[in-house]
Structure formats: structure tokens, C-alpha cells
Amino acid sequence: MNREDLYEGFKDIDDDILERSEQMAKGKKKSPWVRWGAMAACICLVVAGAVGVHFWRGNQTIPPTPVDPIIIPPDDSGLTAIMATSDTYQTLNELLEYLSTNDYHASTLSADGGNGAGNISATSQQLVEGKRLAACDGYAYHAGRGQVHISELDSQSPIGSIDFEAEQIFVCGDRLVLVDSFVSGGSEIDEEISACVRLYDLNDPKAPKLMDEFVQLGSIIACYVSGDDLFLLTADGVCACGWSRLDDTDDYVPALSKNGAAVTWPDEEICILGEPTSVQYVAATQINVKTGEVANKQAFYGDIAEVFYGAGWLAITTQTRTEQVALHPDIYTFSTGSGYAYTGKISTASLLGLDSGVKMSDGTLPAGNYPYVKAVTQVDGVYRIIGEYVTVNGGNGSTQLLALTANMAEGESNYELIGLDNGLRFDLDDLLWESDRAIATVSTTELFDNDVKVEAQFIFAEFSGMDVSLSCSGIRADAVSGVDGIFDLGDPFGELETLIPMGNGIYLRYNETPDGLDIYDFSDSDAPQQIYDSLGDIPTDCRFEFTWEVYGKNIFGIMVVTPDENGEYRNATFSWNIYAVDVEKENPYTLLKAYPFGKGSNFMASSLGFETLEYEGSYYCSTMDALSVQKLTW
Amino acid sequence: MEDSQIIELYWRKDSRAISETSGKYGAYCYTVADSILNCPEDSEECVNDTWLQAWNTMPPQRPSKLKLFLVKITRNLSFNRFKARNRDKRGGGEIHLVLDELADCLASETDIENEYAAKELCGCIRRFVRRLPERDGSVFVRRYFFTEPVAVIAERYGLTENNVMVILSRTRKKLKTQLIKEGYINE
């Protein structure tokens, strides 16, 4: 084989990959999502062909783009039916009618040109999604293969199981909540995914009693508990071109059932964000786990990029990019709890003095400035937003970190920008939110005589009310993006939480060369220090599935992965190692206990589904192959 | 005109299919051809040959993505012409840089010879690219499928040229690892 053969080997690259490459915007986060597959595309094609060309009205038109003020608090009068999140569409039918001839089949939304399969993910800095392990009244419930195992914590012995494959498990008062996603229909190449939520009564914790079951169409993007309520967020989408040929518009409305009976989803629980270029939506359902009633629900339709949430609030970012237009991010904010009340929109374009978007002739961004929203949280009613502010100018652009605050109730906003001391462009790799601060890890790339130098730096964003201040650390560290060459045992580019906060301003951070954990003192954002440069001592070959837990002052556990004697990760062994760290010592790490995984071990047979849990001052762990939890001691 | 309408013209053997295709995708296909051939006359001929091949293959084919259907034809025709023209000489153009880069993925001696293995190689590369993260996969195919210059890719995605080169370099290493694992090349 020669290089020409290799070049020719690219000739059969899948169309969706090629199409995606034409459209891809910078800085999109990746997340698993339902792929509306060939079926949606075929439906479009067949329908278009069947009806005839008269249906098509020439080139797609650019969706209307109203000029927005910086923050748009909602008009109370607009909250009755369709919330006033769109100046253009009052009903879903209006949107569908427009999209019937203008649906933008963006390849970034789907692997195959169908519609709806966006890259939507949801994150929270305040609420924890369900784990695979939970406990109640001395009993543990952990996810196994096709079953949820029940074990007694004291004896660490199995006592029973529930036939249910759970992705997430919650214990909420006397209720056990099991959540899973499953293939609910479709075809092999176009699977329909739904989420299933089961509520169990735990009055007898050894034998949970099934109370209610909910099924909601779409992929789970978030599931969390706040108070007595379970919030389930699923995402879905439907190709809208030729929509009028579908049986009815209910096909575009979220499907929810309780104990097998359909729950209606009325118009007033549908909210259109801006001017969508396709039909994709996030359906948010709030279930009271005590009563088993659906307390509230709302479906959000739009060019949704990402969803952020916390206790009492939800923020949805939209960003449009078609072959003809790129619109800057908007952030739609809602209060949650007693319904989803629209609290206003943050238009980053207006805030930064930019037009709402740009027209593109060939899908590429013209020279100019482009904001990207990376993370949103809310503290005391003030939204805190971190993003990138990128200047595109051929190969000579620049990047600045954007930190923004917005008080929706007061209609106030503020922002700061900062670039790196050396002026290099960067990518925001990792962000750690703290109560009054965010630590951004960014990476830069330089080329010297064909030698590549990739480095990480830290930027600190201090928040106080509406004020925000940014500072660059000047510290250089390894950029950590994963490991080359691992395809079968995990995503080598998985998002790593590289900073391990040990308290008192001390942070451990994964260092790639050599593998190990550096130690930083970030207690003062204006004078951050590196106080230990890893010698490759710990954890050896901890290179992916970078999982860690802080167990208290100076104690942490971390997953250590060791390749086989040939350096292969296919036969890697795993170990959950618990260390003490003492920054005063020359060799700061002391191994307290190692729990190896693997065949023949008296611990767990496999690391799959490894989970740890703190319960009444003790720590436990589980895996999918174990029938019982195991207590961790050191 | 919408792609579905153009395809319909091909199926009806209406000669307007060629003019519509040329008007809509002529420049696009020309760019791909010229990236490989670096010669306006040859590129123009390959684009015209593309319309001919499209004419001969529709029907029976009814591509779901006309643009990509055409560009694959253009790429194949252009590269065949490039190989015939450049068997013993080297010239300028992006393709030489691209091929030199791809040589990184190969060992000094490699060992697939037959057509069956070549077809398998296409599948191997297709799977490899599909498993790549979105950004890296897109950068990779812009370079090695579309033969785009690094500067163009950088601008397309708002990256620096250095960043693009790093992504390409890392991904080539991964491809090499994959090719070794699947037995296409020796370690």
C-alpha cells in the first residue's frame, strides 16, 4: 500500500460526515443524542417527490432575525399561552408551516441529514444527576446488568434485585427512583429512544414496591432531583419538511405516558425559542415523586445548543448556523419549581455590540467577532456565564475569555474580556465553578520548526454580585485532552475534570508528561502557585476514564488504569486507589489502599459502572458485575 | 433549483440536468478538482466528466445528497487523472502536500496488494473517521477527502493553522495505529 492507495481509501467516507464537515461550527460540545436517521431523510425525500416540486419555493430563506435588546424580560401579558420567547411564532403550527418549506437540514443536527438530532447536552454546577448507586435505611441499590441489586450495607451482602436496567438511581425520602432509556421503536438504522422513570415505595426497603411508571419520548439529556421533584429532560426532533403530509401535528409534540396512559401535552406547554431553523426540542417534565403526579411540563423548541440548570432555574442557549447565516448565541432563562416561567433572554450579540448574526456565502464565517457560550450557572438570582470571544481573521484571529453576569429581574448585565498574556489563541478545555469564582483551563498551540507545543494556562473569573474580574495566572501546565490510540475502551477525547479541589485553595491536576498529579495553590487568584510538579509518581497510566472522588481533607480516590505488558489498553487493569496528600512533604502522595479490579480478584470482576457513595460517614462502591456493594476503608 | 428537482431531471433524461448541476455545483466541484490537479484545463475537464458520469449513473442511482454524490465522482476522476499525469513527475499543488502527510501513516514497507484489501481499507478508514470526535473528523476529511489547504480549514472552523496542523498530526498517528491493528501495514 502506498500513499496514493491511502488517499483513495478516503473515497467512501460517509456522506453525513462529509456534510457535517461543511457545516461544523467551532466549539460545539459533544454529547450522545438520538440520531434521527435515514428514516427522517427518506421521509423528506419520498414526501417531496410524491407531492411534486410545486411544494418547494426555491432557495431556503433565512429565518427572520429580530433585533433584540441586551436582556428581554418577559411581558406578563405574553405568559398566558405561548410564552413570549419568540417574536415570530405564536404557535407550533405556525413554526411548522414555515419549516415545511424552510426546514434547514443542518448536518450538524443529524448524522444523515434528517432532522432533530442535535448535539444537545445539559449540565449543572449545582445539582447532581442520579448515580448508579444510592442508599436508604441501611440498604443499597446499585445498577447491575439488567437488574438493580439490593444489598445490605452492614454485611455487604445481596438480598434481592429489581428487574430493571437503570442508568440513574435516586433515593428521595421514601421513594426509590429508577431511570433508564430504551429503544421504543423505529428501525435498526433509525432507533426511537425513550426514557423510562419508575417510582418505587421504600417503606420496606428490602422489597421496593412499584408505584408508577412514566415513559417520555426522546433521549435523556438531564435527570435530577430538587426537593420532592424529579426533573426529566429529554431531547428529540422531527424532520419538518413535508410535515403537512404527516397524520397530524401531534407527531411534533412530545409524547409522555403514565402507567401506559398517554398524558396530553397542550399548546400552552409548548414554548418556541426565537426563530428555529428546524424542529428539535427539549421536553422538561417535573414529577412529584411523593404523589406520582406530573407537576409541570414544558417543551422548548429551538436551535438549542445546550441546557444548563440548577435549583429553581433553567437556561437554554440557542445558536443558529446554516449555510446562509450564523446567529450569535441567545440564552433563554426560566424559573422552575411551580411551572416553567420565562424570566427573559440574554442576547450575547447585543450585549457585545454585535449584529445578531452574519450572512455566509459558502458556510464559512467571515472575518469578525463571534461569542460562544460555554457554561452558565446562577447564584443569588444572578446568571454567571463563561464563554469564548473569538475574532476570526484567517489564521490571525484571537481568543478572549468572556465572563458575563446578568440579573434578569433587574434587566442588568455586565461583562469582562481577557486574552492571554502571550496573545495566543486558545480553546477553553475545562471549567470549574466555585461559589464566587470560576477557574478556566485553556490550551494554546504553537508551532516551532515543525515541533508542536501545546500548553495549558489558567484564567480566574471572580464574581461578586454583578461584578466580575478576570485574571491570567501566567502558570504553564500540560494540556490534557486525552490519550491517543484508544478507541475501544473509551473516548480518548472525553471531557476530563482535570482539577481536583482538595479544599483550602489546594488543587491537584492531571499532568500528562509524565503521568501524575501536579499540585497548585489557587487560594489567591492574583498570585496562584504551582507547589508540586509531578514526577510521574501517581497515578501511573491514569489516562482515561479519569474518575476521582475527594473523601475529605487530604484524602482522595482515583481510578488508575494500567495497560498490559504490551502497552495495550484492551487488556488494561483497573484499580481504585485511595491516597493521602500532604503538600509539605517532598513526596506528597501516600497510597492508603488500592482496590484492584480484574479477573481473580476478590473485589469486583469488572470496573464497568463503577460508582462510589458516601452514606452516614462511610464510603461504598459498586460495579455492574457485583451483586453487592463493597465498603471502602483505608 | 432544489436537488430533488435536479435529480428528477436526470431521471427524465432532461439535458437541463447538466446545466442546472453545472450552475449550482460547478464551482464547488471545480475547487475540489483543482486542489488535486492544480491545472485549470484538467480541472475543467474533470468537472465536465463528472456531469457525464452523473448522467450515466442516474438512473438507476438516486443520491440522497447530490452535492456529495457529485464531489465524490469529481474527486475520483481528478485523482485518477492526477495519477496518470504524475506517475513519474512531481508538481505543485495541495495534493502533493496531502500525499506526503499521508505517507506518515505508512510504514516503510507495506503489504496490501489486492483489490479486496483496498475495498476493506475504505471501510477501515470510514469507520475510523466515524469514531473521531466531530471537530477532528471534520478537519481530517477537509484535508484528506476535500484536499483543502490548511489555511482554508483553519478559517472554516475559526482555528489557527497551527491548531489544524496539530489535529491533523494527531489524527494521522491514530490512523496509523488503526492500520497497524487491522493488519494493513506493518508496525
Side-chain angles (χ1 to χ4, degrees), chain A residues 39-51:
Chain A
M39 177 180 265
C42 289
I43 289 171
C44 294
L45 201 60
V46 169
V47 165
V51 169

Side-chain angles (χ1 to χ4, degrees), chain A residues 105-126:
Chain A
H105 290 176
S107 54
T108 51
L109 299 180
S110 160
D112 49 25
N115 199 3
N119 289 318
I120 302 173
S121 62
T123 52
S124 175
Q125 305 304 321
Q126 300 169 353

